[in-house]
Amino acid sequence: MSWHRNAARDLSIGPVDLMGREIARANGYSLLELERVGIDRAAARRLGIRVDPARTTSIGCNVMQLRAILEQDI
């Protein structure tokens, strides 16, 4: 898979999820991804970040996207 090489460049596409070997757009970021960047669901809501509580995975490019979003808001 070469998608991870372009993860930093493609920060604007929004959250993604893996469906087997395919990448699909996700409805929001998982709670685990939020935890890895140090924010909770309430803080994400205040910042306008979509959360999908049904997702249980954490994908590195989503964490990178969240970090970039938080850096822009600071």
Side-chain angles (χ1 to χ4, degrees), residues 56-73:
T56 58
T57 58
S58 177
I59 299 176
C61 64
N62 287 346
V63 175
M64 290 172 57
Q65 290 174 20
L66 285 170
R67 285 185 181 145
I69 290 168
L70 292 177
E71 287 174 2
Q72 291 174 358
D73 287 338

Side-chain angles (χ1 to χ4, degrees), residues 10-17 24-26 28-29 50 61-62 65 69:
D10 296 335
L11 290 176
S12 63
I13 65 170
V16 296
D17 199 4
R25 290 190 181 225
Y29 296 96
R50 296 177 310 207
C61 64
N62 287 346
Q65 290 174 20
I69 290 168

Side-chain angles (χ1 to χ4, degrees), residues 17-55:
D17 199 4
L18 297 176
M19 303 294 196
R21 291 184 163 204
E22 299 295 317
I23 299 171
R25 290 190 181 225
N27 292 330
Y29 296 96
S30 71
L31 296 174
L32 183 56
E33 290 164 344
L34 295 175
E35 181 181 318
R36 289 196 173 167
V37 295
I39 62 173
D40 59 5
R41 181 188 268 179
R45 187 174 300 141
R46 282 192 303 274
L47 294 170
I49 297 172
R50 296 177 310 207
V51 178
D52 184 358
R55 285 191 52 233

